[in-house]
């Protein structure tokens, strides 16, 4: 089952600051070549790419 969490919820759960979560998510999305300009949620696109593999 897929659980969707906002950045603040992730930061709270891991006891780290929100900026750390955002930076790490951006690194992951950039490595997966998920750009900011597609008009779609990069989280959704990441899941779709994962399911296609």
């Amino acid at each position: 089952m897929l659980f969707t969490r906002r950045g603040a919820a992730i930061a709270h759960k891991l006891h780290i600051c929100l900026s750390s979560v955002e930076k790490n998510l951006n690194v992951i999305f950039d490595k997966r070549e998920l750009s900011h300009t597609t008009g779609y949620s990069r989280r959704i696109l990441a899941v779709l790419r994962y399911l296609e593999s």
Side-chain angles (χ1 to χ4, degrees):
M1 178 178 280
L2 175 67
F3 293 98
T4 304
R5 296 189 189 267
R6 299 269 188 241
I10 295 169
H12 178 73
K13 179 89 172 169
L14 297 176
H15 305 286
I16 59 176
C17 64
L18 178 58
S19 64
S20 294
V21 172
E22 291 171 347
K23 287 176 189 175
N24 283 293
L25 285 174
N26 285 329
V27 167
I28 292 168
F29 292 144
D30 289 343
K31 284 184 179 182
R32 301 288 177 235
E33 298 176 359
L34 300 171
S35 90
H36 292 278
T37 60
T38 60
Y40 298 102
S41 166
R42 296 193 313 165
R43 290 181 182 209
I44 300 297
L45 292 173
V47 170
L48 292 174
R49 283 206 183 159
Y50 174 77
L51 292 174
E52 287 176 352
S53 62

Short mmCIF file of all heavy atoms in Angstrom, two decimals:
data_model
loop_
_atom_site.label_atom_id
_atom_site.label_comp_id
_atom_site.label_asym_id
_atom_site.label_seq_id
_atom_site.Cartn_x
_atom_site.Cartn_y
_atom_site.Cartn_z
N MET A 1 0.84 -1.17 0.00
CA MET A 1 0.00 0.00 0.00
C MET A 1 0.89 1.24 0.00
O MET A 1 1.91 1.30 0.66
CB MET A 1 -0.90 -0.01 1.24
CG MET A 1 -1.78 1.21 1.35
SD MET A 1 -2.85 1.15 2.79
CE MET A 1 -4.11 0.08 2.16
N LEU A 2 0.49 2.22 -0.76
CA LEU A 2 1.25 3.46 -0.88
C LEU A 2 0.72 4.50 0.09
O LEU A 2 -0.47 4.78 0.12
CB LEU A 2 1.14 3.98 -2.31
CG LEU A 2 1.78 5.34 -2.58
CD1 LEU A 2 3.29 5.22 -2.44
CD2 LEU A 2 1.41 5.82 -3.95
N PHE A 3 1.60 5.03 0.91
CA PHE A 3 1.23 6.10 1.82
C PHE A 3 1.85 7.39 1.31
O PHE A 3 3.04 7.45 1.05
CB PHE A 3 1.75 5.83 3.24
CG PHE A 3 1.10 4.66 3.89
CD1 PHE A 3 1.70 3.42 3.90
CD2 PHE A 3 -0.14 4.81 4.48
CE1 PHE A 3 1.09 2.34 4.50
CE2 PHE A 3 -0.77 3.73 5.08
CZ PHE A 3 -0.15 2.49 5.08
N THR A 4 1.04 8.41 1.16
CA THR A 4 1.52 9.70 0.70
C THR A 4 1.68 10.61 1.90
O THR A 4 0.76 10.78 2.68
CB THR A 4 0.54 10.32 -0.30
OG1 THR A 4 0.34 9.41 -1.37
CG2 THR A 4 1.07 11.62 -0.85
N ARG A 5 2.83 11.18 2.02
CA ARG A 5 3.10 12.12 3.12
C ARG A 5 3.61 13.43 2.54
O ARG A 5 4.35 13.43 1.57
CB ARG A 5 4.15 11.56 4.08
CG ARG A 5 3.73 10.32 4.80
CD ARG A 5 4.76 10.00 5.88
NE ARG A 5 4.53 8.70 6.46
CZ ARG A 5 3.80 8.51 7.55
NH1 ARG A 5 3.22 9.52 8.14
NH2 ARG A 5 3.65 7.30 8.03
N ARG A 6 3.23 14.49 3.14
CA ARG A 6 3.76 15.80 2.79
C ARG A 6 5.16 15.92 3.39
O ARG A 6 5.53 15.19 4.31
CB ARG A 6 2.88 16.90 3.34
CG ARG A 6 1.49 16.87 2.79
CD ARG A 6 1.43 17.72 1.55
NE ARG A 6 0.06 17.86 1.09
CZ ARG A 6 -0.34 17.46 -0.08
NH1 ARG A 6 0.49 16.88 -0.90
NH2 ARG A 6 -1.58 17.63 -0.46
N GLY A 7 5.93 16.86 2.85
CA GLY A 7 7.28 17.06 3.33
C GLY A 7 7.36 17.31 4.82
O GLY A 7 8.24 16.81 5.51
N ALA A 8 6.42 18.10 5.34
CA ALA A 8 6.44 18.41 6.78
C ALA A 8 6.19 17.16 7.61
O ALA A 8 6.80 16.97 8.66
CB ALA A 8 5.39 19.47 7.09
N ALA A 9 5.30 16.29 7.14
CA ALA A 9 5.03 15.06 7.87
C ALA A 9 6.24 14.12 7.84
O ALA A 9 6.54 13.46 8.84
CB ALA A 9 3.81 14.36 7.29
N ILE A 10 6.93 14.08 6.72
CA ILE A 10 8.14 13.27 6.61
C ILE A 10 9.20 13.79 7.58
O ILE A 10 9.84 13.03 8.31
CB ILE A 10 8.67 13.25 5.17
CG1 ILE A 10 7.66 12.56 4.25
CG2 ILE A 10 10.03 12.58 5.09
CD1 ILE A 10 7.97 12.72 2.78
N ALA A 11 9.39 15.10 7.59
CA ALA A 11 10.38 15.72 8.48
C ALA A 11 10.05 15.44 9.94
O ALA A 11 10.94 15.10 10.72
CB ALA A 11 10.43 17.22 8.23
N HIS A 12 8.79 15.55 10.28
CA HIS A 12 8.38 15.29 11.67
C HIS A 12 8.64 13.83 12.04
O HIS A 12 9.17 13.54 13.11
CB HIS A 12 6.90 15.64 11.84
CG HIS A 12 6.37 15.36 13.21
ND1 HIS A 12 6.70 16.14 14.30
CD2 HIS A 12 5.57 14.38 13.68
CE1 HIS A 12 6.11 15.65 15.37
NE2 HIS A 12 5.41 14.58 15.02
N LYS A 13 8.28 12.92 11.17
CA LYS A 13 8.44 11.49 11.43
C LYS A 13 9.91 11.10 11.58
O LYS A 13 10.26 10.27 12.42
CB LYS A 13 7.80 10.70 10.29
CG LYS A 13 7.89 9.21 10.39
CD LYS A 13 6.74 8.66 11.14
CE LYS A 13 6.76 7.15 11.05
NZ LYS A 13 5.83 6.55 11.94
N LEU A 14 10.79 11.72 10.78
CA LEU A 14 12.21 11.39 10.81
C LEU A 14 13.02 12.28 11.75
O LEU A 14 14.24 12.10 11.87
CB LEU A 14 12.79 11.48 9.39
CG LEU A 14 12.21 10.51 8.37
CD1 LEU A 14 12.80 10.78 7.00
CD2 LEU A 14 12.47 9.07 8.79
N HIS A 15 12.36 13.26 12.36
CA HIS A 15 13.02 14.19 13.28
C HIS A 15 14.14 14.96 12.59
O HIS A 15 15.25 15.08 13.11
CB HIS A 15 13.55 13.47 14.52
CG HIS A 15 12.51 12.69 15.24
ND1 HIS A 15 11.53 13.29 16.00
CD2 HIS A 15 12.26 11.36 15.29
CE1 HIS A 15 10.74 12.38 16.51
NE2 HIS A 15 11.15 11.18 16.09
N ILE A 16 13.84 15.45 11.38
CA ILE A 16 14.79 16.28 10.64
C ILE A 16 14.05 17.53 10.17
O ILE A 16 12.83 17.61 10.26
CB ILE A 16 15.40 15.53 9.43
CG1 ILE A 16 14.31 15.06 8.46
CG2 ILE A 16 16.25 14.35 9.90
CD1 ILE A 16 14.84 14.40 7.20
N CYS A 17 14.78 18.51 9.65
CA CYS A 17 14.14 19.75 9.22
C CYS A 17 13.53 19.58 7.82
O CYS A 17 13.94 18.73 7.03
CB CYS A 17 15.11 20.91 9.25
SG CYS A 17 16.49 20.78 8.14
N LEU A 18 12.52 20.39 7.56
CA LEU A 18 11.80 20.32 6.29
C LEU A 18 12.72 20.56 5.10
O LEU A 18 12.60 19.91 4.06
CB LEU A 18 10.66 21.34 6.29
CG LEU A 18 9.83 21.44 5.02
CD1 LEU A 18 9.21 20.10 4.68
CD2 LEU A 18 8.77 22.51 5.17
N SER A 19 13.67 21.47 5.23
CA SER A 19 14.56 21.75 4.10
C SER A 19 15.40 20.53 3.73
O SER A 19 15.70 20.31 2.55
CB SER A 19 15.47 22.95 4.40
OG SER A 19 16.32 22.67 5.49
N SER A 20 15.75 19.69 4.70
CA SER A 20 16.48 18.46 4.41
C SER A 20 15.63 17.50 3.59
O SER A 20 16.12 16.88 2.64
CB SER A 20 16.92 17.77 5.70
OG SER A 20 17.85 18.54 6.39
N VAL A 21 14.37 17.39 3.93
CA VAL A 21 13.45 16.53 3.18
C VAL A 21 13.32 17.04 1.75
O VAL A 21 13.43 16.28 0.79
CB VAL A 21 12.07 16.47 3.86
CG1 VAL A 21 11.07 15.73 2.99
CG2 VAL A 21 12.17 15.83 5.22
N GLU A 22 13.11 18.34 1.59
CA GLU A 22 12.93 18.91 0.26
C GLU A 22 14.18 18.73 -0.60
O GLU A 22 14.09 18.37 -1.77
CB GLU A 22 12.57 20.39 0.38
CG GLU A 22 11.18 20.59 0.97
CD GLU A 22 10.88 22.04 1.30
OE1 GLU A 22 11.81 22.87 1.31
OE2 GLU A 22 9.69 22.33 1.55
N LYS A 23 15.35 18.96 -0.01
CA LYS A 23 16.59 18.80 -0.76
C LYS A 23 16.78 17.35 -1.21
O LYS A 23 17.14 17.09 -2.36
CB LYS A 23 17.79 19.23 0.08
CG LYS A 23 17.89 20.72 0.26
CD LYS A 23 19.03 21.09 1.19
CE LYS A 23 18.99 22.57 1.52
NZ LYS A 23 20.00 22.92 2.52
N ASN A 24 16.53 16.41 -0.32
CA ASN A 24 16.71 15.00 -0.66
C ASN A 24 15.69 14.53 -1.70
O ASN A 24 16.02 13.76 -2.60
CB ASN A 24 16.66 14.13 0.59
CG ASN A 24 17.95 14.21 1.36
OD1 ASN A 24 18.98 13.76 0.91
ND2 ASN A 24 17.89 14.82 2.53
N LEU A 25 14.45 14.99 -1.58
CA LEU A 25 13.45 14.64 -2.59
C LEU A 25 13.83 15.20 -3.95
O LEU A 25 13.68 14.52 -4.97
CB LEU A 25 12.06 15.13 -2.18
CG LEU A 25 11.38 14.35 -1.07
CD1 LEU A 25 10.07 15.03 -0.66
CD2 LEU A 25 11.12 12.91 -1.48
N ASN A 26 14.34 16.42 -3.97
CA ASN A 26 14.76 17.02 -5.24
C ASN A 26 15.91 16.24 -5.87
O ASN A 26 15.95 16.06 -7.09
CB ASN A 26 15.13 18.48 -5.06
CG ASN A 26 13.90 19.35 -4.91
OD1 ASN A 26 12.84 19.07 -5.47
ND2 ASN A 26 14.03 20.42 -4.15
N VAL A 27 16.84 15.76 -5.06
CA VAL A 27 17.95 14.95 -5.57
C VAL A 27 17.41 13.67 -6.20
O VAL A 27 17.82 13.26 -7.29
CB VAL A 27 18.97 14.64 -4.45
CG1 VAL A 27 19.94 13.56 -4.88
CG2 VAL A 27 19.71 15.89 -4.05
N ILE A 28 16.48 13.02 -5.52
CA ILE A 28 15.89 11.78 -6.04
C ILE A 28 15.15 12.04 -7.34
O ILE A 28 15.32 11.32 -8.32
CB ILE A 28 14.94 11.16 -4.99
CG1 ILE A 28 15.75 10.66 -3.79
CG2 ILE A 28 14.12 10.03 -5.61
CD1 ILE A 28 14.90 10.30 -2.59
N PHE A 29 14.34 13.09 -7.37
CA PHE A 29 13.59 13.40 -8.58
C PHE A 29 14.52 13.77 -9.73
O PHE A 29 14.29 13.37 -10.87
CB PHE A 29 12.61 14.55 -8.34
CG PHE A 29 11.47 14.19 -7.41
CD1 PHE A 29 10.98 15.12 -6.52
CD2 PHE A 29 10.89 12.93 -7.43
CE1 PHE A 29 9.93 14.81 -5.66
CE2 PHE A 29 9.85 12.59 -6.57
CZ PHE A 29 9.36 13.54 -5.69
N ASP A 30 15.58 14.51 -9.45
CA ASP A 30 16.54 14.87 -10.49
C ASP A 30 17.26 13.64 -11.04
O ASP A 30 17.49 13.53 -12.25
CB ASP A 30 17.56 15.88 -9.96
CG ASP A 30 16.95 17.25 -9.73
OD1 ASP A 30 15.85 17.52 -10.26
OD2 ASP A 30 17.56 18.05 -8.99
N LYS A 31 17.61 12.69 -10.18
CA LYS A 31 18.27 11.47 -10.64
C LYS A 31 17.34 10.65 -11.53
O LYS A 31 17.79 9.94 -12.42
CB LYS A 31 18.72 10.62 -9.45
CG LYS A 31 19.95 11.15 -8.78
CD LYS A 31 20.41 10.23 -7.67
CE LYS A 31 21.66 10.77 -7.02
NZ LYS A 31 22.15 9.86 -5.95
N ARG A 32 16.05 10.74 -11.28
CA ARG A 32 15.06 10.02 -12.08
C ARG A 32 14.60 10.84 -13.29
O ARG A 32 13.72 10.43 -14.02
CB ARG A 32 13.84 9.65 -11.23
CG ARG A 32 14.17 8.79 -10.05
CD ARG A 32 14.51 7.38 -10.51
NE ARG A 32 14.89 6.57 -9.37
CZ ARG A 32 16.03 5.92 -9.30
NH1 ARG A 32 16.89 5.96 -10.26
NH2 ARG A 32 16.30 5.19 -8.24
N GLU A 33 15.24 11.99 -13.49
CA GLU A 33 14.95 12.90 -14.59
C GLU A 33 13.48 13.32 -14.63
O GLU A 33 12.84 13.34 -15.68
CB GLU A 33 15.38 12.27 -15.92
CG GLU A 33 16.87 12.01 -15.99
CD GLU A 33 17.29 11.32 -17.27
OE1 GLU A 33 16.43 11.02 -18.11
OE2 GLU A 33 18.50 11.10 -17.42
N LEU A 34 12.95 13.64 -13.47
CA LEU A 34 11.58 14.14 -13.36
C LEU A 34 11.66 15.65 -13.19
O LEU A 34 11.99 16.15 -12.13
CB LEU A 34 10.87 13.49 -12.16
CG LEU A 34 10.76 11.98 -12.22
CD1 LEU A 34 10.27 11.43 -10.90
CD2 LEU A 34 9.85 11.56 -13.35
N SER A 35 11.35 16.37 -14.26
CA SER A 35 11.54 17.82 -14.25
C SER A 35 10.39 18.53 -13.56
O SER A 35 9.30 17.99 -13.38
CB SER A 35 11.72 18.33 -15.67
OG SER A 35 10.49 18.67 -16.23
N HIS A 36 10.62 19.78 -13.23
CA HIS A 36 9.61 20.63 -12.58
C HIS A 36 8.57 21.12 -13.57
O HIS A 36 7.51 21.56 -13.18
CB HIS A 36 10.28 21.85 -11.95
CG HIS A 36 11.16 21.54 -10.80
ND1 HIS A 36 10.67 21.35 -9.53
CD2 HIS A 36 12.50 21.38 -10.71
CE1 HIS A 36 11.67 21.10 -8.72
NE2 HIS A 36 12.79 21.11 -9.40
N THR A 37 8.86 21.07 -14.85
CA THR A 37 8.02 21.76 -15.84
C THR A 37 7.00 20.86 -16.53
O THR A 37 6.34 21.30 -17.45
CB THR A 37 8.92 22.38 -16.92
OG1 THR A 37 9.67 21.34 -17.56
CG2 THR A 37 9.86 23.41 -16.32
N THR A 38 6.84 19.64 -16.12
CA THR A 38 5.94 18.72 -16.82
C THR A 38 4.47 19.01 -16.59
O THR A 38 3.63 18.59 -17.36
CB THR A 38 6.21 17.26 -16.41
OG1 THR A 38 5.98 17.14 -15.01
CG2 THR A 38 7.61 16.84 -16.75
N GLY A 39 4.14 19.71 -15.52
CA GLY A 39 2.75 19.98 -15.20
C GLY A 39 2.10 18.89 -14.38
O GLY A 39 0.93 18.99 -14.03
N TYR A 40 2.84 17.84 -14.09
CA TYR A 40 2.33 16.73 -13.28
C TYR A 40 3.11 16.66 -11.98
O TYR A 40 4.23 17.14 -11.89
CB TYR A 40 2.48 15.41 -14.03
CG TYR A 40 1.71 15.35 -15.31
CD1 TYR A 40 2.33 15.53 -16.53
CD2 TYR A 40 0.34 15.12 -15.30
CE1 TYR A 40 1.62 15.49 -17.71
CE2 TYR A 40 -0.38 15.07 -16.47
CZ TYR A 40 0.26 15.25 -17.67
OH TYR A 40 -0.46 15.21 -18.83
N SER A 41 2.53 16.02 -11.00
CA SER A 41 3.22 15.82 -9.73
C SER A 41 4.42 14.90 -9.95
O SER A 41 4.29 13.81 -10.51
CB SER A 41 2.26 15.20 -8.71
OG SER A 41 2.96 14.72 -7.60
N ARG A 42 5.57 15.35 -9.49
CA ARG A 42 6.77 14.51 -9.65
C ARG A 42 6.67 13.25 -8.81
O ARG A 42 7.23 12.22 -9.17
CB ARG A 42 8.02 15.30 -9.28
CG ARG A 42 8.22 16.46 -10.23
CD ARG A 42 9.55 17.12 -10.18
NE ARG A 42 10.05 17.45 -8.88
CZ ARG A 42 11.32 17.77 -8.65
NH1 ARG A 42 12.19 17.79 -9.63
NH2 ARG A 42 11.72 18.06 -7.43
N ARG A 43 5.95 13.29 -7.71
CA ARG A 43 5.77 12.08 -6.90
C ARG A 43 4.96 11.04 -7.66
O ARG A 43 5.28 9.86 -7.65
CB ARG A 43 5.09 12.42 -5.58
CG ARG A 43 5.97 13.19 -4.65
CD ARG A 43 5.27 13.48 -3.36
NE ARG A 43 6.12 14.26 -2.48
CZ ARG A 43 6.06 14.22 -1.18
NH1 ARG A 43 5.18 13.46 -0.58
NH2 ARG A 43 6.86 14.95 -0.45
N ILE A 44 3.91 11.48 -8.33
CA ILE A 44 3.09 10.57 -9.12
C ILE A 44 3.90 10.00 -10.28
O ILE A 44 3.85 8.80 -10.57
CB ILE A 44 1.81 11.25 -9.63
CG1 ILE A 44 0.96 11.75 -8.47
CG2 ILE A 44 1.04 10.36 -10.57
CD1 ILE A 44 0.45 10.65 -7.56
N LEU A 45 4.66 10.86 -10.97
CA LEU A 45 5.49 10.38 -12.06
C LEU A 45 6.53 9.37 -11.59
O LEU A 45 6.82 8.39 -12.29
CB LEU A 45 6.17 11.57 -12.75
CG LEU A 45 5.25 12.51 -13.51
CD1 LEU A 45 6.03 13.73 -14.01
CD2 LEU A 45 4.57 11.80 -14.66
N ALA A 46 7.08 9.59 -10.40
CA ALA A 46 8.07 8.65 -9.86
C ALA A 46 7.43 7.29 -9.61
O ALA A 46 8.01 6.24 -9.92
CB ALA A 46 8.66 9.20 -8.57
N VAL A 47 6.21 7.28 -9.08
CA VAL A 47 5.51 6.03 -8.84
C VAL A 47 5.20 5.33 -10.15
O VAL A 47 5.40 4.11 -10.30
CB VAL A 47 4.20 6.27 -8.03
CG1 VAL A 47 3.35 5.02 -8.00
CG2 VAL A 47 4.53 6.74 -6.64
N LEU A 48 4.77 6.08 -11.15
CA LEU A 48 4.46 5.49 -12.45
C LEU A 48 5.71 4.89 -13.09
O LEU A 48 5.64 3.78 -13.64
CB LEU A 48 3.83 6.52 -13.38
CG LEU A 48 2.44 6.98 -12.99
CD1 LEU A 48 1.98 8.12 -13.91
CD2 LEU A 48 1.45 5.83 -13.02
N ARG A 49 6.83 5.58 -13.00
CA ARG A 49 8.08 5.02 -13.54
C ARG A 49 8.48 3.76 -12.80
O ARG A 49 8.94 2.79 -13.40
CB ARG A 49 9.19 6.03 -13.45
CG ARG A 49 9.09 7.08 -14.51
CD ARG A 49 10.43 7.66 -14.84
NE ARG A 49 10.26 8.70 -15.81
CZ ARG A 49 11.13 9.65 -16.02
NH1 ARG A 49 12.24 9.69 -15.30
NH2 ARG A 49 10.93 10.55 -16.93
N TYR A 50 8.29 3.75 -11.50
CA TYR A 50 8.61 2.57 -10.71
C TYR A 50 7.74 1.39 -11.14
O TYR A 50 8.23 0.28 -11.29
CB TYR A 50 8.42 2.86 -9.22
CG TYR A 50 8.61 1.64 -8.35
CD1 TYR A 50 9.87 1.18 -8.06
CD2 TYR A 50 7.51 0.97 -7.84
CE1 TYR A 50 10.04 0.05 -7.26
CE2 TYR A 50 7.67 -0.16 -7.05
CZ TYR A 50 8.95 -0.61 -6.77
OH TYR A 50 9.11 -1.72 -6.00
N LEU A 51 6.46 1.63 -11.34
CA LEU A 51 5.55 0.56 -11.72
C LEU A 51 5.83 0.04 -13.13
O LEU A 51 5.57 -1.12 -13.42
CB LEU A 51 4.10 1.05 -11.61
CG LEU A 51 3.61 1.34 -10.20
CD1 LEU A 51 2.21 1.94 -10.24
CD2 LEU A 51 3.65 0.08 -9.33
N GLU A 52 6.36 0.90 -13.99
CA GLU A 52 6.68 0.47 -15.36
C GLU A 52 7.91 -0.41 -15.41
O GLU A 52 8.07 -1.21 -16.33
CB GLU A 52 6.93 1.71 -16.24
CG GLU A 52 5.67 2.46 -16.58
CD GLU A 52 5.95 3.73 -17.36
OE1 GLU A 52 7.13 4.10 -17.52
OE2 GLU A 52 4.98 4.35 -17.81
N SER A 53 8.80 -0.29 -14.43
CA SER A 53 10.04 -1.07 -14.45
C SER A 53 9.87 -2.47 -13.94
O SER A 53 8.90 -2.90 -13.45
CB SER A 53 11.13 -0.37 -13.65
OG SER A 53 10.74 -0.25 -12.30
#
